[in-house]
Amino acid sequence: MSKKLTIKNRDEIIKVARKFKTFCKSGLDINKNIYKNNDELISDAIYISNYGEISSVRKAIKLVEESLDLKIPLQIPEDIKKDLDEKAKLKKDQTPRFQVKNGKYYVSFD
């Protein structure tokens, strides 16, 4: 993103992301007056998807994609994308894996 985010603009974007989370966790209930229809939700999602450097935005877009079965392109700067990839790789390397060892094993019960 070429334009620097102001604190006011960042707070506004995070507020929209929180609205997404609340809406999705409430079971996509339109009667709760967060969003009148899915079109408003999608237009807000497209608006905030330009700010992928904010973690709340990434989480909210992921929730919306899973809830509405959509694919919204998320714009993440290269340096942040690289950091996220490194974190994912480290996390993947840390997960325990199933190991099988061949041989004879004797188990005795007293």
Side-chain angles (χ1 to χ4, degrees):
M1 182 120 256
S2 61
K3 186 178 174 187
K4 187 86 171 148
L5 271 176
T6 63
I7 294 173
K8 183 177 179 181
N9 195 6
R10 182 181 172 91
D11 289 343
E12 176 188 323
I13 291 166
I14 291 173
K15 240 183 239 183
V16 173
R18 286 184 184 146
K19 280 174 50 176
F20 281 164
K21 291 178 186 177
T22 304
F23 184 70
C24 290
K25 289 180 180 178
S26 72
L28 305 174
D29 189 7
I30 294 177
N31 296 325
K32 298 213 185 228
N33 292 329
I34 295 173
Y35 287 103
K36 304 286 187 243
N37 56 34
N38 286 347
D39 293 336
E40 288 180 25
L41 176 79
I42 293 169
S43 67
D44 274 354
I46 291 171
Y47 167 66
I48 70 166
S49 69
N50 294 321
Y51 302 98
E53 66 266 16
I54 303 172
S55 63
S56 297
V57 169
R58 292 191 300 268
K59 292 174 188 172
I61 294 295
K62 185 177 178 183
L63 252 177
V64 169
E65 286 179 342
E66 290 171 357
S67 299
L68 296 178
D69 197 29
L70 293 174
K71 181 63 182 152
I72 300 170
L74 190 60
Q75 304 207 354
I76 303 173
E78 285 300 317
D79 57 335
I80 293 176
K81 188 180 280 189
K82 184 179 174 185
D83 289 344
L84 291 173
D85 290 342
E86 286 177 13
K87 281 173 81 175
K89 186 176 184 278
L90 285 173
K91 189 174 183 179
K92 182 181 173 188
D93 290 343
Q94 289 176 352
T95 54
R97 295 197 176 111
F98 181 70
Q99 293 181 350
V100 177
K101 294 185 179 182
N102 295 330
K104 293 183 181 181
Y105 298 96
Y106 297 101
V107 179
S108 64
F109 297 97
D110 295 330

